[in-house]
């Protein structure tokens, strides 16, 4: 299968999963994750209809973004270091990986210097100590309040990474917890609009959509071999 066919097949699977997600009444955004993918295949994906692309390192993203045509929205899906924030807010349409107040404040500072409003998601770690990044569930309510008070950040939703497992069914409780956390946070803060739930990757995006994901981040299933 070529990249175009893979994208079509993923889109079909997304539509099928949506039918099993009665509570989900928004479109599902497919972000093609292009880390490690060269320019040629990147262009093929764009020609194949992918308009949203994700990277997990600022430097790698920078090298690519200058080479591809406009009309693509880039997403930062990986851990963001504070010394890369200045570049990141210029490069990315949405930062999925805000997971601390210090990082949020660094974005606020750089964004205020250039008069930009930066859409961000709060990355939540539902795996406990086994995952290196992401805010704890216990700190989410505090962080949501603090980030919402920063003038140049637009808190637009939540993101999580489920544990890697052979059996996608095992990821379901994690996705369900993020959905429930979103509902609880919105109940506590009626002015919040957590529009995006970014969860689900190549292995587990169908389960994630059934549990309410409306952004899926897919790399290997599009760019992998076989
Ligand atoms: C690499 C990556 C993905 C895509 O993972 P695949 O398993 O290749 O689909 C999604 N999200 C993040 C944060 C990643 O780093």
């Amino acid at each position: 299968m070529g990249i175009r066919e893979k994208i079509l097949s993923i889109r079909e699977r997304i539509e099928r999963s949506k039918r099993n997600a009665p509570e989900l009444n928004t479109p599902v955004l497919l972000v093609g994750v292009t880390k490690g993918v060269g320019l040629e295949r990147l262009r093929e994906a764009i020609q194949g209809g992918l308009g949203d692309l994700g990277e997990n390192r600022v430097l790698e993203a920078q090298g690519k973004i200058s080479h591809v045509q406009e009309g693509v929205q880039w997403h930062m899906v990986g851990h963001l270091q504070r010394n890369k924030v200045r570049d990141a807010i210029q490069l990315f349409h949405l930062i999925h990986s805000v997971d601390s107040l210090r990082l949020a404040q660094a974005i606020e500072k750089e964004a205020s210097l250039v008069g930009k409003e930066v859409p961000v998601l709060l990355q939540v770690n539902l795996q406990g100590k086994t995952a290196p990044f992401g805010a704890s569930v216990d700190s989410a309510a505090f962080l949501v309040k603090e980030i919402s008070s920063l003038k140049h950040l637009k808190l637009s939703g939540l993101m999580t990474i489920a544990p890697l497992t052979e059996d996608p069914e095992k990821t379901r409780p994690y996705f369900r917890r993020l959905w429930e956390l979103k509902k609880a946070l919105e109940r506590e803060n009626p002015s919040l609009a957590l529009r995006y739930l970014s969860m689900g990757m190549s292995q587990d995006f169908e389960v994630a959509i059934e549990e309410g994901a409306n952004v899926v981040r897919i790399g290997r299933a599009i760019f992998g071999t076989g």
Side-chain angles (χ1 to χ4, degrees):
M1 245 197 275
I3 287 178
R4 178 189 293 270
E5 287 73 29
K6 285 187 179 165
I7 294 169
L8 283 175
S9 142
I10 298 280
R11 290 204 193 281
E12 275 169 23
R13 287 167 65 191
I14 288 174
E15 288 311 311
R16 224 177 296 144
S17 310
K18 273 177 70 176
R19 283 182 227 124
N20 297 328
E23 291 195 79
L24 187 69
N25 48 22
T26 60
V28 174
L29 178 69
L30 170 59
V31 176
V33 179
T34 52
K35 60 178 184 237
V37 174
L39 281 178
E40 198 172 316
R41 275 146 33 89
L42 200 81
R43 294 201 179 98
E44 215 178 312
I46 296 168
Q47 277 154 18
L50 262 193
D52 287 83
L53 299 176
E55 285 284 336
N56 68 343
R57 290 174 58 233
V58 171
L59 275 179
E60 186 177 342
Q62 223 162 11
K64 290 175 186 173
I65 292 175
S66 54
H67 288 284
V68 300
Q69 71 230 55
E70 293 186 9
V72 175
Q73 295 185 334
W74 288 90
H75 296 249
M76 177 57 181
V77 301
H79 177 64
L80 178 58
Q81 291 169 305
R82 276 176 290 136
N83 63 3
K84 298 287 193 317
V85 162
R86 183 170 300 175
D87 291 326
I89 65 173
Q90 298 296 345
L91 295 168
F92 297 107
H93 165 75
L94 179 64
I95 297 173
H96 293 227
S97 47
V98 172
D99 63 355
S100 72
L101 188 53
R102 286 175 81 193
L103 175 58
Q105 286 166 339
I107 297 172
E108 169 66 22
K109 184 173 158 222
E110 294 296 338
S112 70
L113 290 176
V114 291
K116 231 180 161 153
E117 187 185 56
V118 180
V120 302
L121 307 182
L122 176 66
Q123 180 178 354
V124 180
N125 170 14
L126 298 171
Q127 303 183 46
K129 288 204 178 70
T130 53
F133 303 117
S136 68
V137 176
D138 292 342
S139 67
F142 166 77
L143 284 173
V144 158
K145 279 216 176 71
E146 293 293 322
I147 295 172
S148 303
S149 74
L150 298 173
K151 284 201 185 65
H152 296 83
L153 269 71
K154 185 173 160 56
L155 182 64
S156 306
L158 304 178
M159 181 273 228
T160 200
I161 302 173
L164 270 184
T165 146
E166 293 288 296
D167 176 9
E169 222 19 74
K170 291 212 174 93
T171 61
R172 190 178 296 277
Y174 295 90
F175 297 139
R176 187 164 295 179
R177 274 188 83 190
L178 197 69
W179 168 270
E180 282 164 0
L181 180 62
K182 167 178 136 73
K183 291 284 140 190
L185 291 168
E186 285 174 336
R187 267 197 307 275
E188 284 168 36
N189 312 273
S191 62
L192 267 185
L194 300 176
R195 183 171 160 212
Y196 296 121
L197 265 193
S198 170
M199 53 185 197
M201 317 193 339
S202 293
Q203 293 275 62
D204 52 23
F205 71 91
E206 286 156 310
V207 175
I209 291 170
E210 287 171 8
E211 296 301 330
N214 60 1
V215 180
V216 293
R217 311 176 307 267
I218 298 183
R220 283 170 301 150
I222 296 173
F223 298 103
T225 47

